[in-house]
Amino acid sequence: MISGAPASGKGTQCELIEKKYGLVHIAAGDLLRAEIAAGTENGKRAKEYMEKGMLVPDEIVVMMVKERLLQPDAQENGWLLDGYPRSLSQATALEDLGIRPDLFILLDVSEEVLIERVVGRRLDPVTGKIYHLKYSPPENEEIAGRLTQRFDDTEEKVKLRLKTHHQNVEAVLSIYKDVIFKVNGDAPIEDVFAEIDKALSSILEKKSRTASSSMAAGIIS
């Protein structure tokens, strides 16, 4: 599982993890949209709530996540659950279903850096490309002149989003305290991934040692 505040670089790290380890990347939001588009039972129920402007109840989303994690690709290759669970009730529901990660990656980024990353973000409405005024500025004046800012990418809105995020994460951490791996997300992308990579490699080594010793035990017995 991976958790990080808005603009913590979580999306980028998910791509890097998926590419190197072949894990099935599952984001609850994407899953929800896919189920609604496919018209599944869960999707239909979720759509009813969304059309009324209500939050989709935990039990529906938890069932979607559970069913996705039980698919053959996730069972064979392992999974990377992105930005979920977000509350104690969601985490408890997953625990009750016997769903627990080997590692809970927490991208820890200072509020100052997060605000700077979000407030400087700009969108090119023509190409859909995301720029940042400081970190990845537009290539030319023409593009610079047409860039727009998302309505909620203001300092005030970001602070509210961060407050909600921190409250949710605090509640979830108590469930996963023995598998939490905290990474300094203020560092450059490559350095953050190097830390995550090290932690995942060590888990894989332990798993393969356990598997080979249990095979050996099977042969001996």
Side-chain angles (χ1 to χ4, degrees):
M1 290 176 178
I2 185 165
S3 174
S8 60
K10 184 163 62 70
T12 305
Q13 294 303 326
C14 284
E15 281 172 27
L16 293 169
I17 295 167
E18 194 180 359
K19 196 172 165 187
K20 174 153 188 186
Y21 289 93
L23 299 177
V24 177
H25 177 208
I26 300 160
D30 295 344
L31 197 54
L32 195 57
R33 284 185 284 275
E35 295 262 339
I36 289 169
T40 64
E41 204 50 52
N42 281 330
K44 284 177 193 160
R45 288 174 65 203
K47 195 178 176 186
E48 285 173 19
Y49 284 94
M50 287 166 83
E51 281 174 347
K52 291 175 192 160
M54 295 161 73
L55 282 176
V56 180
D58 282 349
E59 63 267 20
I60 296 177
V61 185
V62 167
M63 284 316 292
M64 285 182 185
V65 170
K66 179 197 172 193
E67 284 164 20
R68 183 65 191 89
L69 295 181
L70 291 175
Q71 298 279 327
D73 59 346
Q75 290 290 305
E76 282 163 31
N77 304 312
W79 43 265
L80 172 63
L81 197 49
D82 171 2
Y84 191 88
R86 286 186 180 186
S87 66
L88 186 59
S89 58
Q90 291 169 355
T92 310
L94 289 177
E95 287 284 295
D96 292 345
L97 292 168
I99 296 166
R100 189 171 178 79
D102 293 301
L103 194 67
F104 185 99
I105 302 162
L106 181 64
L107 292 176
D108 191 31
V109 184
S110 65
E111 190 158 306
E112 200 179 310
V113 170
L114 290 171
I115 290 169
E116 185 189 35
R117 284 181 187 176
V118 174
V119 174
R121 275 197 306 216
R122 295 292 183 274
L123 168 74
D124 181 349
V126 177
T127 62
K129 188 175 173 184
I130 303 277
Y131 290 93
H132 191 283
L133 299 180
K134 180 178 175 182
Y135 302 114
S136 52
E139 295 86 348
N140 57 50
E141 284 301 313
E142 186 195 341
I143 296 172
R146 67 183 187 223
L147 295 181
T148 60
Q149 185 178 28
R150 254 177 55 170
F151 77 95
D152 57 349
D153 277 355
T154 61
E155 187 166 337
E156 189 187 349
K157 291 266 172 39
V158 177
K159 282 183 171 169
L160 280 174
R161 275 153 64 195
L162 290 178
K163 190 180 173 192
T164 306
H165 170 78
H166 292 315
Q167 285 168 345
N168 292 343
V169 168
E170 283 307 314
V172 169
L173 294 186
S174 58
I175 296 256
Y176 300 115
K177 55 180 179 283
D178 55 336
V179 288
I180 285 172
F181 180 68
K182 206 174 190 178
V183 189
N184 173 17
D186 287 351
I189 291 168
E190 308 75 41
D191 297 357
V192 174
F193 183 63
E195 288 293 310
I196 293 172
D197 191 17
K198 228 186 305 181
L200 288 173
S201 299
S202 115
I203 283 174
L204 278 178
E205 273 169 37
K206 276 183 205 150
K207 276 182 177 278
S208 62
R209 278 205 302 271
T210 311
S212 50
S213 63
S214 59
M215 272 174 71
I219 293 162
I220 293 160
S221 63

